[in-house]
C-alpha cells in the first residue's frame, strides 16, 4: 500500500505521544513540547514516559508497543537513540491506526505491529519540516518533534521524505523462547517499576502448567542440537517455587507468582515485593519455568 493510500484509510490524528529516555531532570522534554506547540498550538500531547533506561532500545520498544493500542489515533514519537548523529535513518511509519516517528534502530516496529502493521515508510529528509540547524545530538528536538507536529496537522506522510522499503527497517533480535515438554525457557523481556519480570512467552505456555511451578536461570547454547545448561537447581545455583496464579494476591505476601500480565505475556511477580531483585535477573536473562510433578522431576534447591 502506498503512503498516500495508507493516509486516506487511517483516522485523523488526535494526539501526539512522546516516549523517550530523556529523564525529567533536564529541559529536553519541555523543548520537544515547545517545538510541537510552535507548529500545532492546539494539539494535545500525551507523555507516555521519559524514564526509559538510557539507551535501552528494547525496553523503549516494549513500552511503546504495549501503550499505543490504548491511545487515541495519533502520531507516536519515540526517542531512545544511542546512534543519534550517525548514519542511522530517521523514519516515519504509517499503520492502519496511527503514525510512528523516530530512529530506525528497531524502536518502532513492535508498536507498528500492534497498530496493524507497516503500510508505508519514509526517511525524514524534508528540510522545511526540520530545524534550520539540526544538532548532531538532539534529533528529538530538531527532527522528530517537528515532523510529528506537521503530520498531526494532516500533512501527507509522503511529504516527510522519500519512501523506503519497510523490509529494510532495522529490527531488534527476536527474544529467545523455547518450548519444553515440562514448560518453557524464555528471555526476560522487561522489568517494570514494580519489579515485575515480563517474559517473552505467551499465555498459552503457562496455561497448561500445574498450580505450582519452578523457576531457575539457564544458559542457552548456540550450537545446533545442543541442550541448554540447566539442572535441578539451575546454572545460578538456585531454583524457586512459584504459585501459578491469576494475580499477585494468589500468592502469600512475599511469595513468587507466575501469571499472565495485562499484555498477555507470562510474568513473574512477588506479592508485595520486587521479583527482579528476588530472582536477581535483568532484561536478557534466560529463565526456565516448569511444572511440579512432571516426569523426570527431581528435588532441587528451592528458595
Amino acid at each position: 500500500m502506498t503512503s498516500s493510500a495508507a493516509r486516506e484509510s487511517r483516522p485523523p490524528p488526535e494526539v501526539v505521544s512522546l516516549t523517550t529516555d530523556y529523564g525529567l531532570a533536564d529541559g529536553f522534554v519541555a523543548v520537544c513540547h515547545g517545538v510541537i506547540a510552535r507548529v500545532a498550538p492546539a494539539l494535545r500531547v500525551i507523555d507516555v514516559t521519559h524514564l526509559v533506561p538510557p539507551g535501552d532500545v528494547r525496553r523503549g520498544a516494549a513500552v511503546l508497543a504495549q501503550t499505543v493500542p490504548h491511545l487515541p489515533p495519533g502520531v507516536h514519537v519515540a526517542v531512545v537513540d544511542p546512534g543519534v548523529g550517525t548514519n542511522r535513518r530517521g523514519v516515519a511509519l504509517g499503520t492502519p491506526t496511527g503514525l510512528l516517528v523516530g530512529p530506525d534502530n528497531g524502536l518502532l516496529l513492535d508498536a507498528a505491529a500492534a497498530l496493524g502493521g507497516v503500510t508505508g515508510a519514509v526517511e525524514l529528509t524534508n528540510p522545511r519540516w526540520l530545524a534550520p540547524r539540526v544538532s548532531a545530538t538532539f534529533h528529538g528536538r530538531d527532527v522528530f518533534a517537528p515532523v510529528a507536529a506537521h503530520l498531526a496537522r494532516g500533512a501527507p506522510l509522503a511529504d516527510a521524505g522519500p519512501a523506503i522499503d519497510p523490509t529494510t527497517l532495522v529490527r531488534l533480535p527476536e527474544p529467545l523462547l523455547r518450548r519444553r515438554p515440562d514448560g518453557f525457557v524464555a528471555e526476560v523481556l522487561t522489568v517494570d517499576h514494580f519489579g515485575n519480570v515480563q517474559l517473552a512467552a505467551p499465555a498459552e505456555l503457562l496455561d497448561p502448567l500445574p498450580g505450582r511451578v519452578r523457576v531457575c536461570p539457564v544458559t542457552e547454547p548456540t550450537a545446533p542440537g545442543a541442550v541448554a545448561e540447566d539442572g535441578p537447581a539451575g546454572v545460578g545455583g538456585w531454583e524457586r517455587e512459584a504459585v501459578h496464579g491469576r494475580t499477585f494476591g494468589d500468592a502469600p505476601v512475599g511469595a513468587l507468582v507466575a501469571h499472565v500480565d495485562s499484555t498477555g505475556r507470562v510474568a513473574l511477580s512477588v506479592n508485595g515485593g520486587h521479583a527482579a531483585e528476588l530472582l536477581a535477573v535483568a532484561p536478557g536473562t534466560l529463565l526456565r519455568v516448569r511444572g511440579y510433578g512432571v516426569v523426570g522431576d527431581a528435588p532441587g534447591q528451592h528458595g
Side-chain angles (χ1 to χ4, degrees), residues 25 62-65 71 82 99 102 123 146 148 243:
V63 171
L64 185 68
L71 300 181
L99 295 160
E123 185 173 3
V243 173

Side-chain angles (χ1 to χ4, degrees), residues 31-271:
V31 166
C32 291
H33 274 260
V35 168
I36 293 169
R38 283 174 174 264
V39 177
L43 190 65
R44 182 183 178 193
V45 179
I46 295 177
D47 294 289
V48 175
T49 182
H50 300 290
L51 299 177
V52 174
D56 191 342
V57 177
R58 188 179 287 280
R59 173 63 178 162
V63 171
L64 185 68
Q66 293 168 13
T67 303
V68 291
H70 305 283
L71 300 181
V75 182
H76 306 294
V77 179
V79 191
V80 182
D81 193 14
V84 62
T86 68
N87 60 0
R88 72 96 185 92
R89 299 178 293 192
V91 297
L93 310 181
T95 78
T97 54
L99 295 160
L100 295 153
V101 175
D104 180 21
N105 62 2
L107 181 64
L108 306 178
L109 286 181
D110 287 348
L115 293 174
V118 177
T119 57
V122 299
E123 185 173 3
L124 307 180
T125 61
N126 181 350
R128 293 170 300 152
W129 285 16
L130 310 183
R133 292 184 179 180
V134 175
S135 164
T137 60
F138 198 177
H139 286 190
R141 176 193 69 190
D142 297 340
V143 178
F144 304 133
V147 165
H150 283 286
L151 291 173
R153 292 184 64 188
L157 181 63
D159 286 0
I164 57 177
D165 182 351
T167 64
T168 68
L169 294 167
V170 173
R171 297 181 180 274
L172 295 173
E174 287 294 323
L176 189 140
L177 175 63
R178 297 283 187 270
R179 290 168 168 81
R180 296 285 190 81
D182 59 353
F184 57 89
V185 171
E187 184 176 336
V188 174
L189 194 59
T190 69
V191 175
D192 70 13
H193 171 72
F194 297 99
N196 300 313
V197 175
Q198 184 187 66
L199 302 179
E204 65 191 54
L205 296 188
L206 183 65
D207 290 344
L209 297 185
R212 305 192 81 81
V213 298
R214 293 176 176 177
V215 179
C216 71
V218 301
T219 56
E220 188 73 6
T222 56
V227 178
E229 298 175 8
D230 62 289
V235 295
W238 58 263
E239 184 176 61
R240 287 194 176 271
E241 180 182 330
V243 173
H244 175 187
R246 186 181 59 85
T247 188
F248 316 117
D250 289 340
V253 173
L256 191 66
V257 57
H259 63 101
V260 176
D261 70 10
S262 62
T263 71
R265 293 185 183 271
V266 178
L268 301 169
S269 303
V270 171
N271 184 7

